[in-house]
Amino acid sequence: MKLILKKQSDFIGIKKGDILIVAFLLAVCTALFIFPILKSNDSKTAVIILDGEVVETVELLPQESKKLEVGNCVLIIENGTVHFEEASCPDKLCIKSGCLSNVGDTAACVPNKVVVTIEGKNKNNYDMVAY
Amino acid sequence: MSKSKKVMIGILCVVLVIGIVASILIYNDRKKIFCVEEKSNLAMGTVVTFKIYDDNETNLVPTLNALIDSLEKTISRRIEGSPVYNFNINSKCGNDIVADVVKRCQTVSQLSAGAFDLSIGRVSSLWNFDGETNEIPDDVEIANALKSVDYEKLSVDGEVVSAEKGQQLDLGAVGKGLACDFIKRYLVEAGVKGAVISVGGSICAFGSRNKANDEWRIAVKHPRESGKILGVIKLKEGFVSTSGDYEKYFEKDGKRYHHILDARTGYPAESAIESVSVVCSDGMISDALSTACFILGVEDSRPLLERYDASAVFVDSSGKISVIGEIDFEEAK
């Protein structure tokens, strides 16, 4: 094997050192490409806003389970999702919004001025949701 | 192998590696997301989400919220003293924004054979989808209120809008799209690189989030499966408005009564459409078209969409998706 490599190397005039340099540069290229991907983190946070003020931020972990009372609403955090469980509003649109789990998902109880939005690195294949 | 050949190969290798490194750096730079000002808050009685992209950090959301508040104080029929509130009492008001909206919506009303009509105010008040009651109004009351619904009786003279006594305006169907228009105008003037904004689900998108000028991807909410998306619309610039029977509704005796009223009947539209998303180059028109298309159904919407060079994605009650016009829509798997 060594012999063949030596022969081939001789044929195109490449030495072991050259191969090392190319390998090193290719490694640098790969690192440059992968670095931005590795830099991003996957954590998602539910940001809860009451009357324009952030009142709570909760990281959405699969094992996290929490019941939060915000204004006249009750929010449940479970299995990496958040949803409105109870609200004193007439239309219950907030409860109908269902579970939020993706970055950028937002639900609100307009009469009670409660907004829940999920923040984090956008890994969705979309920028905004039309409804 | 001659020495010069070796040198040549060496140079080629170095050039190749430099080329690869440079391409990767350029690629990463072009794909790098600009600074983003991202915020969700309540405005105009709904959730507004801002994503504004620029080279440097911006702080435009407070101004935009003020802009939306000021617009709401003009077009809301519930805010005492607003031009529309006054119109609904005096059958007359003078306001350039209201006049412009009424005039342009009259054309949509005409092209939709009256299915969409801003003079539906009295019927909307009876149904009161924002209230607590969730009651079907009395047939006679609806029939009486329906008599006042006629876009042809609205007249616009400069800034002055007048109507027959008893006619009432409801600009709710176009308010969010109109806000999108105002926001876009402001942000374009401010010279930001790009933005994607949602005013209660009506979307405005322009510019880009990176130097590569990547297109925007607007997801359409699934009308029946909570938390799921129907698919993604890709666009460089434009407005997306959705009308669906799944947001504001109540159920009585197994029947769903949603908030999109057919101005010809005074009752929730029965076109067997669950959701329609319209893509158009104007936010207010986009909103008007989505309401009109929801009421008209797929086939009757075609000429209307063509007239405005708009396109749409419909979902009917059997779950069938129909795409009309040139639109880059990818169904979710």
Side-chain angles (χ1 to χ4, degrees):
Chain A
M1 183 67 196
K2 237 179 185 175
L3 194 74
I4 297 166
L5 187 69
K6 194 170 185 301
K7 264 189 181 170
Q8 278 179 347
S9 300
D10 280 351
F11 177 67
I12 54 166
I14 296 173
K15 294 216 169 71
K16 229 179 189 175
D18 298 339
I19 294 173
L20 276 175
I21 290 171
V22 171
F24 171 74
L25 289 170
L26 283 175
V28 171
C29 294
T30 316
L32 276 173
F33 204 72
I34 292 175
F35 186 64
I37 301 166
L38 289 178
K39 216 171 61 177
S40 62
N41 75 60
D42 280 340
S43 74
K44 289 185 285 187
T45 309
V47 178
I48 298 149
I49 302 160
L50 173 64
D51 204 5
E53 300 290 326
V54 175
V55 289
E56 195 106 30
T57 51
V58 187
E59 191 171 349
L60 293 177
L61 301 167
Q63 67 275 20
E64 182 87 32
S65 185
K66 221 171 183 181
K67 185 178 177 180
L68 296 169
E69 281 184 36
V70 182
N72 294 319
C73 302
V74 176
L75 292 151
I76 300 286
I77 287 166
E78 57 186 4
N79 307 322
T81 70
V82 56
H83 69 270
F84 279 91
E85 178 79 3
E86 292 167 33
S88 64
C89 59
D91 53 18
K92 312 284 181 218
L93 275 178
C94 49
I95 297 170
K96 286 180 198 162
S97 301
C99 288
L100 313 183
S101 58
N102 297 320
V103 171
D105 281 357
T106 303
C109 181
V110 177
N112 288 313
K113 297 181 177 171
V114 179
V115 182
V116 182
T117 178
I118 299 186
E119 291 185 359
K121 173 88 183 162
N122 188 0
K123 294 225 176 242
N124 303 323
N125 64 340
Y126 53 84
D127 299 291
M128 201 65 96
V129 184
Y131 54 90
Chain B
M1 194 181 215
S2 69
K3 202 176 176 187
S4 63
K5 222 171 182 182
K6 275 187 191 173
V7 171
M8 276 298 285
I9 291 173
I11 291 172
L12 272 175
C13 279
V14 171
V15 168
L16 189 74
V17 169
I18 291 175
I20 294 172
V21 172
S23 317
I24 292 170
L25 289 176
I26 291 170
Y27 177 83
N28 283 349
D29 182 53
R30 285 174 60 74
K31 289 285 177 184
K32 196 181 160 208
I33 309 288
F34 294 129
C35 282
V36 57
E37 185 181 352
E38 193 171 353
K39 196 170 188 247
S40 290
N41 55 236
L42 295 176
M44 224 178 191
T46 187
V47 181
V48 184
T49 303
F50 303 91
K51 284 186 186 176
I52 303 164
Y53 298 83
D54 207 2
D55 286 328
N56 302 306
E57 270 184 38
T58 54
N59 184 28
L60 296 163
V61 169
T63 316
L64 293 173
N65 275 324
L67 191 75
I68 300 170
D69 278 348
S70 145
L71 179 64
E72 188 187 14
K73 281 175 187 144
T74 305
I75 63 169
S76 169
R77 65 195 172 102
R78 294 194 186 86
I79 296 177
E80 220 169 299
S82 81
V84 171
Y85 182 92
N86 291 339
F87 178 95
N88 289 345
I89 296 169
N90 309 318
S91 311
K92 199 173 185 172
C93 79
N95 182 279
D96 56 340
I97 296 168
V98 179
D100 173 62
V101 169
V102 169
K103 206 168 180 181
R104 290 196 290 147
C105 283
Q106 275 179 310
T107 313
V108 180
S109 302
Q110 200 180 3
L111 293 167
S112 66
F116 168 82
D117 195 326
L118 290 184
S119 64
I120 199 160
R122 283 185 60 196
V123 181
S124 304
S125 298
L126 284 179
W127 283 94
N128 192 22
F129 280 96
D130 298 318
E132 282 182 52
T133 46
N134 286 351
E135 287 292 333
I136 305 162
D138 182 71
D139 285 352
V140 180
E141 276 187 302
I142 291 179
N144 275 332
L146 199 60
K147 285 177 194 161
S148 72
V149 182
D150 187 352
Y151 67 93
E152 286 180 326
K153 287 178 182 157
L154 298 171
S155 69
V156 181
D157 184 10
E159 286 187 3
V160 179
V161 188
S162 45
E164 262 195 2
K165 202 171 164 26
Q167 280 198 294
Q168 289 192 357
L169 286 176
D170 178 2
L171 271 52
V174 295
K176 296 170 190 170
L178 190 63
C180 285
D181 284 330
F182 275 63
I183 292 168
K184 183 185 172 183
R185 214 170 301 149
Y186 184 88
L187 289 176
V188 167
E189 260 179 44
V192 300
K193 295 280 183 198
V196 58
I197 313 283
S198 159
V199 180
S202 287
I203 313 287
C204 148
F206 72 91
S208 186
R209 72 182 92 78
N210 57 19
K211 284 183 193 164
N213 205 18
D214 281 341
E215 59 211 339
W216 301 104
R217 302 148 306 180
I218 310 300
V220 176
K221 203 170 185 175
H222 197 289
R224 289 295 178 268
E225 291 177 48
S226 167
K228 281 201 172 170
I229 64 161
L230 190 72
V232 173
I233 296 170
K234 288 182 187 163
L235 77 167
K236 285 275 184 198
E237 182 163 358
F239 297 85
V240 184
S241 299
T242 303
S243 290
D245 65 357
Y246 56 92
E247 276 283 310
K248 289 182 182 174
Y249 69 91
F250 63 85
E251 276 171 359
K252 228 154 215 140
D253 303 324
K255 195 176 169 184
R256 181 180 289 227
Y257 293 88
H258 58 79
H259 76 295
I260 303 169
L261 301 171
D262 185 335
R264 299 166 299 188
T265 63
Y267 285 85
E270 291 196 22
S271 55
I273 299 293
E274 287 180 353
S275 156
V276 54
S277 294
V278 171
V279 179
C280 179
S281 59
D282 182 282
M284 197 278 287
I285 292 295
S286 185
D287 261 14
L289 291 182
S290 75
T291 305
C293 289
F294 184 95
I295 301 166
L296 293 173
V298 181
E299 288 313 313
D300 290 346
S301 295
R302 284 179 192 272
L304 185 64
L305 291 164
E306 268 174 34
R307 164 70 173 71
Y308 286 97
D309 203 15
S311 37
V313 182
F314 290 82
V315 193
D316 68 17
S317 50
S318 68
K320 188 184 157 206
I321 297 175
S322 309
V323 179
I324 311 292
E326 285 180 25
I327 185 172
D328 187 353
F329 176 75
E330 195 182 319
E331 200 180 329
K333 280 158 201 145

